[in-house]
Amino acid sequence: MSTTNDFIFFSASDTVANGSFTCSAPSNIALVKYWGKKENQIPANPSVSFTLTDCKTITTLIFTKKKDQNNFSFELLFEGQPKPDFNPKIQKFLERILPYCPFLNWYHFSIATQNTFPHSSGIASSASGMAALALTIMSLEKVLNPSISDEHFYKKASFLARLGSGSACRSIKGSVVVWGEQADMENSSDLYGVAFPTKIHEHFNNYQDTILLVDQGEKQVSSTVGHDLMHQHPFATQRFEQARHHLSAMKSVLETGNLVEFIKIVESEALTLHAMMLTSMPYFILMKPNTLEIIQKIWKFRNETQLPLCFTLDAGANVHVLYPENVRVKVLQFIQDELVGYCQNGQYICDQIGTGSQIILEN
């Protein structure tokens, strides 16, 4: 089993004076949710997610060696413009990973990042953003230490991404990713995400995720605050037990292709996530009236047509509609006819299950 010591950087060639890397990392949508964490971004319960394809962050890291090598420095452009609001999060991330990447102190970094989806749209931009940044940093480490294996490269990239945003560790590698120790999930770890350990049923090939943008505003309560409220939550213990049970059940579902059970678990997890928010102290609501209207419409349509579509929610108001590729035409027609009116400015995004991050350009 891996420990944090496995990710400490011990040797390097310091001859690399400057260069750049461009990497992309997708967002992901959790099927079994993680809500609540311990110190150092350790999850209170394990989770499993679908990696997406088109909703991703593309990040370029330009590095230049400094004379003063006692601390790192950086500047950030988001979609071509300075974004001072992001700087504290990047600063905190780099401070957290410095013990594992001491070479950061040798360089000044220019970070240019952009999303292929609207920021604050309820799609996990922190997950894709931190995963893409972690991948560029690991690309630099690979140049400084070419002996590291591909396995170590991606495992450490996931480890680093987790220190920026917990769910980011699920955006590095794999179409279905497990994060958090679970006895019946081979090689699972609290420290990084791992690809689902067994063969996934063909029903989940090209599984679709259409994201209905109910509310594109900033969340009233951040995920970080929501996670912290689980420490004193009256139902936390039961919730963590439920998540472990659901993960074991989901393992069987993904192997057998049982879509009826898939729908039950996914929707239960979405509603339980928001139930934890409703019963926190202080309590809060991130769903909007249109979120509930969409859910009711999905239930009615599924009951009438027997098509295997379902919804899930992240920590926000927007609705992810999940369904197999072979019913795509019918579901998209339903979305156009019945659901678009509940979306802010009629906006929605069509995506599907993907394979993970990519190194786009090395220079």
Side-chain angles (χ1 to χ4, degrees):
M1 182 179 292
S2 296
T3 69
T4 56
N5 289 336
D6 296 332
F7 301 108
I8 294 173
F9 183 82
F10 288 110
S11 61
S13 164
D14 62 358
T15 58
V16 182
N18 55 70
S20 67
F21 298 98
T22 299
C23 299
S24 72
S27 185
N28 65 76
I29 179 65
L31 308 174
V32 174
K33 310 293 184 180
Y34 125 80
W35 197 243
K37 56 189 174 184
K38 306 171 189 176
E39 278 190 292
N40 300 318
Q41 300 286 91
I42 299 298
N45 68 265
S47 58
V48 63
S49 61
F50 279 163
T51 307
L52 300 181
T53 297
D54 296 323
C55 291
K56 59 189 175 183
T57 300
I58 302 167
T59 297
T60 296
L61 181 78
I62 302 171
F63 56 94
T64 308
K65 184 162 282 189
K66 304 186 285 101
K67 288 183 179 179
D68 173 14
Q69 298 189 357
N70 294 318
N71 53 68
F72 61 80
S73 59
F74 72 92
E75 56 190 344
L76 174 72
L77 293 178
F78 176 67
E79 299 185 347
Q81 300 295 324
K83 189 75 171 177
D85 291 354
F86 286 5
N87 288 351
K89 190 163 189 177
I90 300 298
Q91 176 76 24
K92 188 173 185 179
F93 170 60
L94 296 177
E95 288 172 354
R96 280 177 172 172
I97 70 172
L98 188 60
Y100 310 101
C101 304
F103 56 84
L104 295 179
N105 282 339
W106 305 347
Y107 297 100
H108 174 76
F109 298 104
S110 296
I111 304 167
T113 188
Q114 59 183 322
N115 294 334
T116 63
F117 54 90
H119 182 65
S120 296
S121 63
I123 302 166
S125 58
S126 59
S128 57
M130 288 301 178
L133 182 55
L135 201 66
T136 61
I137 290 169
M138 281 306 300
S139 298
L140 173 56
E141 178 168 329
K142 179 74 170 176
V143 171
L144 295 171
N145 184 8
S147 66
I148 63 175
S149 67
D150 284 351
E151 180 184 6
H152 180 80
F153 177 94
Y154 287 108
K155 188 180 287 187
K156 184 170 178 179
S158 180
F159 171 84
L160 297 178
R162 187 198 93 244
L163 294 174
S165 170
S167 58
C169 76
R170 300 192 307 243
S171 285
I172 296 292
K173 202 72 172 171
S175 55
V176 180
V177 179
V178 177
W179 172 39
E181 288 185 17
Q182 174 92 340
D184 56 356
M185 289 286 185
E186 186 178 354
N187 298 321
S188 60
S189 173
D190 287 344
L191 301 181
Y192 47 80
V194 300
F196 186 75
T198 55
K199 184 175 174 59
I200 296 166
H201 194 276
E202 62 183 10
H203 283 174
F204 298 105
N205 292 347
N206 302 319
Y207 218 74
Q208 304 291 299
D209 180 7
T210 299
I211 304 138
L212 307 180
L213 303 181
V214 172
D215 183 14
Q216 297 182 59
E218 293 283 352
K219 289 186 294 191
Q220 294 171 320
V221 177
S222 72
S223 293
T224 298
V225 171
H227 283 294
D228 287 345
L229 290 174
M230 289 297 285
H231 290 302
Q232 305 298 326
H233 200 291
F235 307 130
T237 299
Q238 296 94 323
R239 163 58 196 154
F240 301 148
E241 290 174 357
Q242 179 199 45
R244 291 186 179 281
H245 172 75
H246 277 167
L247 184 56
S248 293
M250 182 61 75
K251 181 175 185 288
S252 174
V253 163
L254 292 172
E255 292 168 342
T256 63
N258 187 333
L259 294 181
V260 173
E261 288 302 310
F262 178 82
I263 288 168
K264 287 180 182 177
I265 297 168
V266 167
E267 292 191 343
S268 173
E269 279 288 309
L271 294 173
T272 300
L273 171 67
H274 285 262
M276 292 299 102
M277 301 171 193
L278 289 164
T279 49
S280 294
M281 187 58 71
Y283 40 80
F284 60 102
I285 301 172
L286 294 184
M287 289 188 286
K288 300 291 185 182
N290 281 359
T291 308
L292 298 175
E293 292 286 352
I294 288 170
I295 290 171
Q296 296 284 356
K297 290 278 188 180
I298 289 172
W299 284 344
K300 182 174 184 288
F301 179 77
R302 187 171 70 221
N303 185 54
E304 291 173 349
T305 65
Q306 298 301 302
L307 293 178
L309 78 160
C310 66
F311 73 88
T312 189
L313 309 167
D314 265 342
N318 300 329
V319 182
H320 292 248
V321 186
L322 302 178
Y323 51 95
E325 186 181 35
N326 64 358
V327 299
R328 184 174 187 270
V329 173
K330 291 179 180 178
V331 172
L332 286 179
Q333 190 63 55
F334 160 63
I335 289 170
Q336 283 280 356
D337 293 345
E338 301 282 344
L339 303 184
V340 166
Y342 298 104
C343 299
Q344 190 171 343
N345 302 318
Q347 286 190 292
Y348 63 95
I349 298 171
C350 292
D351 210 333
Q352 63 181 8
I353 193 170
T355 56
S357 58
Q358 291 182 309
I359 299 170
I360 299 172
L361 184 65
E362 301 182 27
N363 185 14

